[in-house]
Amino acid sequence: MKLQHIFNASAIALVSASMFIACTDDVKVGDSFVEKAPGGTVTIDTVFNSAEYTRQFLTGIYGMQYYGLPFSNASGLPTSQNSYQGKLDGLTDCYQIHWNGTAIYNSYYSNTLSANNDALIGFTSDKVWEAVRQGYLLLENIDRVPDLSDEERASIAAQAKCLIAARYFDLFSVYGGLPIVDKAYTGTEGDYTNLKRASIEKTVNYMVGLLDEAIPHLRWAWDGNTTDTDAYNNTGRWTAAGARALKAKILLIAASPLYNANQPYFGGSTQAEQDSLVWYGNYDQQRWVRAEQACREFFAANGESDPTSLSLGTAGKFYQLNQATEKSADGYRQAYRMGYILQGSKEVIHSTRVATVYGSQGTYAWWNWVGIGRNSYCPTVEYMEMFPWSSGEPFVFGQEPTSALLNASNQRLNADGQIFYSPVIKVGRRTMAKYAIRDPRLYENAIVNGQQITLDWTTGKSSGDIYELWTGGNDAGQNIAKTTGEIVEQLTFKFSTGMGTIKYYLGEEYHRKYMHWVYLSYDEMLLMWAETLAQTGNIAGALNCVNRVRARVGLGNLEQYTPAVSSDKDLLIEEILRERACELGMSNNRYYDMIRYKRSDWMCKELHGLKITRLQNVMGEYVENYNPYLGTDKDNGVAEPDHFKYEKFTLQNRRRVMWDLDPNSNEVKKWFLFPLPVTELNKGYGIVQNPGW
């Protein structure tokens, strides 16, 4: 029996004496990982008889990593990169996608996905098994490669192990236990029943084992201390820091309630549950201890061993939070933005990229898709509400803050019914100043009403015209309108929820550059450590880790505004999950949090948009104004509008079927894990379907 996907998946798979045609490209990734040899063909002996060809072979495996920004619909790309599929974030309570060309809109929101469809991370269509196979081809042949130092040979092998472990993690996080492939199968061996799905425990230990083997042979970071360790040439290669961070993330998910529980999530009668493919079979507190220890080992290796003594200004051995140079909303926004977007940032532990440029010069790049509205992951009111006031006090819709809101000069501001910016300071009829009154991260994860459009890439200063997201405004127009008295959002527009996407959606400054996606980051590590510390009883350490993340954007300590977190572990964990959503937008982590904590209540929560109405003072009375500001008003020197009416409305286009279902029903709970494809089940080598599918 020949298995098309897992064991002979690569169209360019190398086996002894086999031949393949290789392309020649400037950037050798994916299927173009080796120079064309004389005669146009290359054998496995040729590839592994050359140090340069071997390095390029490794680069080809890097080209098959998970990339989290769907940017194309070209054939041959992984499912997750196809904009007609969609991002995991669109399944959470943070975003709603309105483009009816996506699988999210047609299969997920409608609750019609089946095992005949590719999931958003495809079990057989995301180049996972191709990467695993080529990783083992490299491992099995690395010792025969001449002209490699022992150090480089060990490093290449270690990088291959990280690549295999990472691709396993990508599936483990959304499918559960996986077949353990530990060599380069040819697809002609005959009997593969020994490669049935492994238990959660075996799958976790397999991934962690690969990373443990890799760590001693990898550099901690590409720190630029020598000519061969500069970040410019090596950013994106696996490091010991990346391997330790991935190990911690694997163990965090493994310790979470989805897999680590006394009862399986679907009732226990399915084969997948009975074979421990979708849970451990019991709850064990030591799994949280193991995850916390993995986090601790990362920070110790980074020169930061005690979570209770970490301070905002602590500079680790290499990795650290990017800090603001100015204590203002613009300064904090710039620190947050540059922390994740700059290649070589000391906040980015591991990143992935694709061989296309960013922006209009790159066909179907993320920037283009978002820019035309079709790929807009419109933030929901529920997401907007997660971000506190600029002081750090929790935001409650319709309530004024009780704490003082201050500007950079410690001058007191007021909200006066506004939820994004303070009322503008005017001189005569012109706008002189206004101040952001919410968590600076909000403006970096969502475009909101009144936000200035122009951002100086170097200084971070915002200026110029504003986004007019009120009904009739210059940007929103009729994205949201009343139909027979009911507020309804329109399809395929950037601001269909009254807010727009901005994370990774940057300006012209990033055109013609390779756009990376952050796979693992330092701020995520701090919040993972906070969670594992809370789960193992170290509340003080957990709070300190959370507060470091908050302080970077000028927010006060969490316990200052929610004192109960100092004694209530469950409340603290809930707040950590909220902080993760605010800090780690567009990174898949909200989706991971939803399923690993079995938050079917998030899945069934009715989501809302924001209907904004401009109010104009006419003879001392505020009346509704449905006209844009840009144009006549601005030309006549009228001050920027600063009074609005904000109304929540239930999203209708498209209404998710699960909003009307019982969160405790198996019809909902089956969505904790994706379905495995029927085509794999039918091959008879031991692929068992996940519960409910």
Side-chain angles (χ1 to χ4, degrees), residues 243-320:
R244 287 198 179 279
L246 180 57
K247 175 181 175 180
K249 191 165 187 173
I250 291 168
L251 293 175
L252 174 87
I253 289 179
S256 299
L258 178 65
Y259 295 144
N260 185 23
N262 283 324
Q263 296 295 327
Y265 67 85
F266 204 75
S269 63
T270 67
Q271 184 180 348
E273 292 166 307
Q274 293 170 2
D275 292 347
S276 299
L277 307 181
V278 294
W279 70 313
Y280 272 101
N282 68 333
Y283 173 80
D284 189 345
Q285 174 67 9
Q286 287 304 305
R287 294 184 186 116
W288 281 113
V289 173
R290 188 183 182 193
E292 191 278 326
Q293 182 61 36
C295 292
R296 186 178 295 271
E297 289 170 357
F298 170 90
F299 284 98
N302 200 47
E304 309 169 278
S305 58
D306 184 357
T308 59
S309 66
L310 297 177
S311 62
L312 179 63
T314 299
K317 189 175 179 180
F318 181 80
Y319 297 98
Q320 55 190 275

Side-chain angles (χ1 to χ4, degrees), residues 6-10 13-15 57 128-138 164 181 183-187:
I6 294 183
F7 310 114
N8 195 22
S10 176
L14 298 179
V15 295
F57 187 86
V128 170
W129 304 111
E130 290 91 331
V132 170
R133 173 176 169 73
Q134 292 186 23
Y136 275 108
L137 278 170
L138 192 153
I164 294 169
V181 178
K183 66 178 182 179
Y185 286 85
T186 67

Side-chain angles (χ1 to χ4, degrees), residues 489-509:
E489 80 277 20
Q490 306 305 303
L491 293 176
T492 68
F493 288 99
K494 290 176 64 175
F495 306 111
S496 294
T497 61
M499 293 166 283
T501 303
I502 195 171
K503 189 76 177 283
Y504 285 103
Y505 176 60
L506 303 172
E508 295 287 330
E509 299 84 355

